[in-house]
Structure formats: structure tokens, C-alpha cells
Amino acid sequence: MSMAQVANLAEKALGHLGKATIEQDISNPARDRAKYADPSGETMKALCWMGKNQVEVVETPKPRVMNDRDVILKVTGSTVCGSDLHLLHGSVVQMQSGDILGHEFCGVVESFGPGVKNLQVGDRVVASFQIACGDCLYCKKKLSSQCERTNDNAMENLMYGGNTAGMFGYSHFTGGFAGGQAEYVRVPYGDVNLLHLPDDVPDEKGLYLSDVICTSWNCVVDTGVKEGDVVAVWGAGPIGQMAAEFSFLNGASRVILIDGGNGAWRLNFCKERIPKLETINFSNLEKGETVQSTLKKMEHEGPDVALECVAGEYAKGWAHKLEIMAGLETDTSEILNEMITSVKAYGRVGITGVYVGYTNHFNIGAIMERGIRLIGNGQAPVHLYWDKLLKYIQEGKIDPYHMLSHRVLMEEMDIVYDKFNKREGHIQKVFVQTKFSAPPAPGTPQVTSFKK
């Protein structure tokens, strides 16, 4: 029996908490067509998780409005996030076969419930990856990723001491909501979870306010990057790339980006767009050298700040690989230990990469003895930042095109996942085109087809 199956059985035994104000576990309208599917009978293409390391583009029912504040979007753009790979690999628990994936998307309003007063049919909008009610303790503070009313999962509550908000396309552990790697999507509480996109912001820029732009910004500001800091960033994917760029924007004097292995090409990709960036390829270090020793040679006593933009599932050594395989831990502590021992005394370490549960061999002694500030950045509260960051995009302070490498087809999403997972084809960040998408904006990639 797989970990996902065990976790689903455990949740069934525990029972949901009963505090959510919207229905849970509607991860595909096909699960109950009479209840969840649009009465027109219209279908749509959607990318579904079918099992560990297996996704498929399927034809499935279009969703319907179920609650007063629901909005149905025609999806005009989505993307693939590095955290989607954790779902693909089965490292995030409580996936079920047929779950529609995707938590980053934008679109056009097609219909909505009677409780939605601030939107019109045809409005261009981007969705936050989290689902917030707009009224609870955390929502009133714009800390939308911790909404109290949209995720009823008992196992998450037991493991974390509380629940995150519900999230689109991110397992039943976060509420079991259908995602936006599809032609249509239902957005609960659409009146607060959708942001209008102005005419001067094309989908190829506005889309990324859904997650990556806000998450990278949160990583930097929540960890406290300030004027003159030397910052080291682990992971040169889109989050790491934008965190490096935002570190400079927030006053960092130097930024050092770290990656290697089959992702080493991303270091050059990022440096071409951020010329003053410095890089470390951990695959090409001289014998006897480590990331820690290299950083301390580059900067006396190491950087002031370390930002984790990788994730806990990627073990390097055999000990952690075996422990994860045996279920003795869910996440490796290797990168965290590397960061803790790399920064200056009283340095700050921010964790933005996804860590699901428990880890072994964690160097807590170094944190205590050297006064290291370990900061869990949390799932980024998109609502706290997206108005400000939209203005930055309009003013040219932020350019999401820097990370955009490919425009791909919805019909080929299973192939895109495979290539992205293998770091093939120099895919950094994609824009997924649907039948509702506008033509490519000037300065953005044309469609790449991977089918032979």
C-alpha cells in the first residue's frame, strides 16, 4: 500500500474537523457529476495525477457554481511549479487518482454565484494559489495562506498544530480542491481570491502573481534581507531566481546562487538575466571543498542570510535517501544543515522550499550555539503582497519575463511535467496555453510543441 493510500485511510479514520465553510475534496467534478459538474454537460481538458510519477491529460466535466461566492473561470494561462513535482513524486500525502493539478493560473470570469459583487463576466483576473475566506482572524490581516475556514484536514492539523488554508490542486491534505491546469476552474470565495489584471499587464506577467512572484518576495522580506546584506540562495529554479533578484531590490550588496547536478544550467540562465549575480555549482567544487567552505572563502565568515528555495525531498547522501525510502523521515535535513553552518553567527536562514513533515540529523546545536535565526517563511500570504507587486510589474521594477522560458500547450502537459522533472530542455518557467488564451504577448516565447 502506498503512502498516499495510507494517509487517505488515516484521514478517513480521523474524520474532517468540521470547521470549514466550503465543501472539501472536490478535486475533480467527475467524482460526482450530478453534484459537481456543470449541468450543460460540457467537458474540459485537465491534467490529473493518476499515481506516483504518473500524470495524464484527460477529458473531464466542467465545474459548476456550488456556493454563493464561487466563480467559474475560463483558464487563459497556467504554469508548472517546482512544488508540483512533490505531488508527482508522491512526497505530499493524500493524493488521489484523478485529482486535477495546478495552483497557479489566471483567466476570464465566465460565471459566478449571487454573493459575488465585485466581478463581471469577461473580467481578466489572476487567482491566489491559496483559498481564503476574507473574514477570519488571519484573512483580516491579509495572511491568506493561513485562513481558518477553507481546509478541514484533520491529519494536517494533527501534524502542524493547525491548518493552512485550502489550496488549489495540492492534495486532500490541503482540502482537496481541483486545480487550474485545466480549461475551467471553480474558485471558491472568488470575490477575495481573484485580482483584477489591468490592460497593461498581459497574462504572461499577471499569471505569476498567483504564486511564484509573491512566494519569492515573501521569502526575501520575511527572512529580513536588508541594505548591505550578503545573501546566499539555495536553488536556481524560478523561486530561487526571483528571490535573488528581489534580494538585490531590497538592498543586498551581494547575492550568491547555488545549484548543481542536472539543474546546473540554471545558474547560467539566471546570471544572464542578473549579471551581478555570483554562482556556485556544487557539482564542480574542487576536492575537499564544500558549499560551506566555498561561501566562507567568498565572504568572511559566510553570508548574512541564507534562503532555502529547493525543498526537503531531495536527499544527497545515502543515509537520508534510505531513511526517506523506509519512511523514517519525510524530508532531508542536509540543505538546512548546510545553510545553518554557512551563515555568519546570528545569521538568518529562511525556509521557502516545501518541507512536509519530519527530518533526522538536524543540527539544532549550531542554531543554539551560534544564534542562528531559523525562519519558516510559510506558504506565502499572496493577498498581503499582490497589490503592491502588481504595481511593481506595471512600473517595470519587476519583470516576470526574466524567468519565462517556454510557452507550451495544455494538451502536452504530461510531457512538460516529465521534462521539467528531469530538468531537460532548459525549462525554467512555462506559460501553459489553453483554447481560451490570447496570442503570445510581444517579447514572450512562441509555442513549443514536444510531440514528435
Side-chain angles (χ1 to χ4, degrees):
M1 185 178 292
S2 71
M3 185 182 293
Q5 290 171 313
V6 171
N8 284 320
L9 287 173
E11 180 65 23
K12 187 175 181 179
L14 288 168
H16 284 343
L17 298 171
K19 64 177 183 177
T21 53
I22 50 176
E23 189 164 348
Q24 307 285 284
D25 303 310
I26 312 176
S27 56
N28 190 324
R31 297 201 182 283
D32 188 337
R33 291 171 185 258
K35 190 174 181 181
Y36 305 140
D38 189 85
S40 69
E42 185 178 351
T43 62
M44 65 177 183
K45 289 182 172 59
L47 186 82
C48 294
W49 188 87
M50 307 305 288
K52 186 175 180 179
N53 295 320
Q54 184 182 0
V55 293
E56 293 179 15
V57 178
V58 304
E59 201 74 24
T60 197
K62 171 187 171 183
R64 71 189 299 165
V65 168
M66 294 183 57
N67 303 113
D68 281 356
R69 292 167 65 186
D70 281 356
V71 174
I72 303 298
L73 289 189
K74 294 178 178 178
V75 177
T76 56
S78 67
T79 188
V80 182
C81 178
S83 59
D84 287 324
L85 298 181
H86 310 319
L87 304 175
L88 176 69
H89 302 154
S91 62
V92 174
V93 296
Q94 293 191 22
M95 292 297 295
Q96 296 179 17
S97 181
D99 287 354
I100 299 175
L101 301 177
H103 57 272
E104 298 177 86
F105 55 91
C106 62
V108 173
V109 174
E110 194 224 31
S111 60
F112 47 84
V116 177
K117 306 298 184 185
N118 59 341
L119 295 169
Q120 298 295 325
V121 172
D123 283 354
R124 291 179 56 240
V125 291
V126 59
S128 63
F129 74 86
Q130 60 241 202
I131 302 167
C133 72
D135 299 314
C136 72
L137 169 71
Y138 294 111
C139 287
K140 287 176 180 177
K141 298 177 181 179
K142 298 289 186 182
L143 300 176
S144 48
S145 61
Q146 307 300 323
C147 177
E148 298 176 280
R149 298 175 180 172
T150 57
N151 181 9
D152 230 6
N153 191 272
M155 179 179 283
E156 188 194 54
N157 184 73
L158 185 65
M159 286 178 65
Y160 298 163
N163 286 96
T164 64
M167 297 178 196
F168 290 103
Y170 214 75
S171 90
H172 298 259
F173 196 62
T174 62
F177 296 95
Q181 289 168 358
E183 292 175 329
Y184 291 95
V185 64
R186 182 181 72 97
V187 180
Y189 292 122
D191 52 339
V192 295
N193 293 305
L194 296 170
L195 178 71
H196 283 93
L197 291 178
D199 291 342
D200 61 346
V201 176
D203 284 355
E204 291 90 341
K205 289 186 177 180
L207 163 65
Y208 302 108
L209 288 165
S210 192
D211 178 0
V212 57
I213 295 293
C214 294
T215 294
S216 302
W217 186 262
N218 182 65
C219 175
V220 171
V221 300
D222 188 60
T223 311
V225 174
K226 62 183 186 299
E227 193 75 29
D229 276 342
V230 176
V231 179
V233 181
W234 272 253
I239 298 287
Q241 177 186 348
M242 300 312 291
E245 191 166 316
F246 295 162
S247 292
F248 281 125
L249 191 57
N250 280 276
S253 60
R254 299 175 69 190
V255 179
I256 304 163
L257 187 60
I258 303 155
D259 211 319
N262 60 2
W265 61 267
R266 302 186 298 189
L267 294 170
N268 288 333
F269 180 96
C270 295
K271 189 164 178 61
E272 287 172 2
R273 290 151 180 81
I274 315 170
K276 57 186 174 180
L277 185 69
E278 300 168 66
T279 63
I280 295 175
N281 182 345
F282 64 73
S283 303
N284 291 343
L285 298 176
E286 293 183 9
K287 188 175 181 180
E289 293 293 332
T290 63
V291 171
Q292 296 100 310
S293 66
T294 304
L295 283 167
K296 289 178 187 290
K297 286 180 179 179
M298 295 174 72
E299 171 67 21
H300 181 65
E301 284 292 293
D304 303 287
V305 178
L307 303 177
E308 203 284 30
C309 301
V310 184
E313 72 160 295
Y314 299 111
K316 292 182 178 180
W318 279 108
H320 283 283
K321 287 180 181 178
L322 290 172
E323 287 173 3
I324 289 173
M325 287 173 61
L328 299 175
E329 66 176 3
T330 58
D331 304 277
T332 177
S333 59
E334 291 161 293
I335 292 174
L336 297 180
N337 288 341
E338 203 168 78
M339 297 166 73
I340 290 163
T341 54
S342 292
V343 295
K344 290 180 174 71
Y346 300 101
R348 283 105 64 207
V349 174
I351 309 172
T352 282
V354 172
Y355 285 72
V356 177
Y358 302 96
T359 188
N360 299 326
H361 318 294
F362 180 63
N363 194 348
I364 193 168
I367 293 176
M368 182 271 155
E369 299 290 352
R370 300 183 62 239
I372 308 303
R373 273 55 176 164
L374 183 65
I375 301 163
N377 300 129
Q379 296 286 355
V382 170
H383 294 194
L384 184 64
Y385 303 120
W386 63 355
D387 290 301
K388 174 181 179 176
L389 296 175
L390 174 60
K391 289 180 181 177
Y392 278 8
I393 290 173
Q394 289 178 289
E395 293 166 358
K397 291 181 180 178
I398 293 175
D399 188 356
Y401 289 175
H402 287 176
M403 62 181 165
L404 178 57
S405 61
H406 292 75
R407 186 184 186 96
V408 298
L409 298 170
M410 175 71 228
E411 294 84 349
E412 298 183 11
M413 281 290 284
D414 52 343
I415 303 172
V416 173
Y417 260 68
D418 183 58
K419 289 188 173 294
F420 188 57
N421 184 41
K422 295 175 180 175
R423 306 287 189 265
E424 291 179 353
H426 287 198
I427 297 174
Q428 180 73 337
K429 194 69 173 175
V430 300
F431 180 91
V432 181
Q433 173 178 302
T434 75
K435 64 182 181 181
F436 300 120
S437 300
T444 66
Q446 296 297 307
V447 170
T448 298
S449 177
F450 295 107
K451 284 189 176 178
K452 295 180 180 179

